[in-house]
Amino acid sequence: MALQATIQGLKAQAGSQLGLSVARLFASAAAPIKVEVMPYKVHRIDAPSNIVETNVTELMDFYKLMYKMRRMEIAADMMYKAKFIRGFCHLYDGQEAVLTGIEAAITLQDSIITSYRDHCQHVTRGGSVVGLMAELMGKKDGATRGLGGSMHIYNRKNNFYGGNGIVGAQIPLGAGIALAHKYKGEKNVCITMYGDGAANQGQKYEALNMAGLWNLPVIFVCENNHYGMGTAEWRAAKSPNFYTRGDYIPGIKVDGMDVLAVKNAVAFAKAYALANGPIVMEMDTYRYHGHSMSDPGSTYRTRDEINAMRTERDPIERVKKLLLANGVEAAELKKIDREVKKEVDEAVEAAKASTAPPEHWLWKNMYVK
């Protein structure tokens, strides 16, 4: 991290007195900051505290990761319009706090499975920006060697069971992954992510039933960005309170635009799931782009609505304001912005320079002699 590197550099160059002042600076970066987040709404369970503890170091990590997600998706938008990326492409910008908060509360030994909106999971599960961009462009240096594309990125090593192209298909699969964790005696959960557009699927209720019967360590995370493709939630769901839709399974509704609220709630949900079984979480979030790159996103909602969300609830700006209020210089954040932008720009160029998979890979992983 930039702040830690600066501190180490100063220590190396200075004597004991400067070393002491730098140590005090580092201590202040780790000093606890208490933040009051929006109260949680709950179903069949007591709500966790809405006072969350963090520190400057953690907030800086959150800022850098979320800004990287944002720059990646903006780059993907540009490359799609320039026709370097073809086919389906679903962007995540606006929803960065959900995944960042989730990863802050779990480990790489916990599992994640999601829908086709999966670019950022690739990075939080240990993948590179180059690997993502190359995959989007169908190149052999891509995350799945150019064979999966935008919707099917996967990393078994770090328990990322992929983007899944069929709406809601990942929900029963997530219950199955949780069953595997329990069968093996592992103290881990499966984060099973889906959108409000998939929340009415029958297979979701079958998965909820089995998870409830077997007390599986699964956290069902509904990322409610309020539009299933171009259909507003109130037009598609008689009950848009998705955190209550587990009926006999507890639920919690979270401000999904606040990374600290998400981190705190997921830590609570993980402890609950390991001890008691499944829990449903509804993340109240928002996507800035349309459903996919083929959707302008402005025919069923107004530009004023989108701009209001950017102005009032943007997850990156929220963390930025916290950092500035706790002594971080604006110049330090601008430095991070430049570094991240450079990383993404270089990844795009490296992806462009990569080559297409060889023709004989058309049969790769399909037939075995």
Side-chain angles (χ1 to χ4, degrees):
M1 189 180 139
L3 180 61
Q4 292 169 319
T6 301
I7 290 168
Q8 293 303 318
L10 287 170
K11 281 184 175 179
Q13 296 172 22
S16 59
Q17 282 302 110
L18 183 55
L20 287 171
S21 64
V22 168
R24 284 194 291 270
L25 174 63
F26 187 78
S28 67
I33 301 168
K34 290 188 176 180
V35 179
E36 184 177 0
V37 302
M38 188 178 294
Y40 303 107
K41 293 182 178 180
V42 292
H43 169 70
R44 290 183 176 269
I45 198 169
D46 292 330
S49 169
N50 68 321
I51 305 299
V52 184
E53 189 171 293
T54 185
N55 55 60
V56 167
T57 301
E58 181 180 62
L59 290 171
M60 289 284 274
D61 287 342
F62 288 164
Y63 180 83
K64 184 173 183 179
L65 178 57
M66 289 196 289
Y67 189 70
K68 182 183 291 188
M69 292 179 183
R70 182 72 57 86
R71 291 303 314 180
M72 279 171 17
E73 297 296 59
I74 290 171
D77 171 277
M78 294 170 64
M79 290 301 100
Y80 195 95
K81 289 171 180 173
K83 298 186 178 180
F84 284 98
I85 299 171
R86 302 295 186 101
F88 294 103
C89 187
H90 305 80
L91 304 183
Y92 199 69
D93 50 323
Q95 299 181 210
E96 297 93 348
V98 175
L99 183 57
T100 301
I102 286 172
E103 290 285 19
I106 64 174
T107 72
L108 291 178
Q109 284 68 54
D110 295 304
S111 300
I112 291 182
I113 190 168
T114 192
S115 67
Y116 37 74
R117 203 178 301 278
D118 64 348
H119 302 168
C120 294
Q121 281 85 350
H122 164 72
V123 173
T124 63
R125 291 274 112 179
S128 69
V129 182
V130 175
L132 170 67
M133 290 298 168
E135 188 59 39
L136 297 183
M137 296 183 195
K139 303 297 183 70
K140 68 178 181 64
D141 293 322
T144 50
R145 302 293 182 261
L147 303 176
S150 171
M151 298 195 294
H152 302 291
I153 299 172
Y154 182 94
N155 184 346
R156 174 64 184 88
K157 178 183 175 183
N158 288 331
N159 296 299
F160 175 40
Y161 290 90
N164 292 264
I166 298 173
V167 174
Q170 72 276 13
I171 301 173
L173 294 177
I177 295 165
L179 174 61
H181 281 311
K182 183 171 184 176
Y183 185 80
K184 294 176 181 178
E186 298 166 346
K187 295 299 181 181
N188 300 109
V189 298
C190 180
I191 303 289
T192 301
M193 305 176 74
Y194 58 97
D196 51 289
N200 298 312
Q201 290 260 329
Q203 57 191 328
K204 185 194 84 171
Y205 293 96
E206 294 179 69
L208 285 168
N209 184 58
M210 286 189 283
L213 281 170
W214 300 337
N215 298 323
L216 301 182
V218 55
I219 303 174
F220 295 100
V221 178
C222 176
E223 292 187 278
N224 182 10
N225 58 33
H226 303 283
Y227 294 96
M229 297 188 72
T231 304
E233 60 178 347
W234 59 269
R235 294 181 60 206
K238 184 65 177 175
S239 171
N241 294 319
F242 298 107
Y243 69 103
T244 69
R245 299 277 286 277
D247 186 14
Y248 40 82
I249 292 174
I252 179 169
K253 184 174 182 178
V254 184
D255 180 359
M257 302 296 271
D258 185 341
V259 65
L260 294 175
V262 175
K263 179 194 80 166
N264 189 51
V266 173
F268 170 84
K270 178 178 176 179
Y272 177 88
L274 289 174
N276 304 290
I279 185 169
V280 176
M281 304 189 76
E282 178 186 347
M283 301 293 180
D284 178 6
T285 186
Y286 197 82
R287 54 173 164 82
Y288 293 155
H289 269 82
H291 171 73
S292 71
M293 284 303 298
S294 61
D295 167 20
S298 57
T299 56
Y300 48 86
R301 57 182 181 173
T302 65
R303 294 195 181 278
D304 287 344
E305 176 185 310
I306 301 168
N307 291 334
M309 293 297 291
R310 288 181 180 275
T311 303
E312 298 167 14
R313 295 186 66 201
D314 186 79
I316 299 174
E317 286 300 312
R318 186 175 298 201
V319 172
K320 183 177 183 178
K321 288 175 182 176
L322 265 176
L323 286 167
L324 293 173
N326 284 278
V328 175
E329 298 291 333
E332 179 70 15
L333 298 180
K334 288 180 180 178
K335 182 182 177 185
I336 290 174
D337 295 352
R338 290 193 299 271
E339 290 171 351
V340 169
K341 187 176 184 302
K342 183 173 182 287
E343 178 187 355
V344 173
D345 289 347
E346 289 177 351
V348 168
E349 294 307 312
K352 287 181 183 177
S354 182
T355 58
E359 288 187 9
H360 69 270
W361 281 15
L362 287 169
W363 295 273
K364 188 177 176 66
N365 301 323
M366 295 179 69
Y367 297 106
V368 177
K369 291 183 181 179

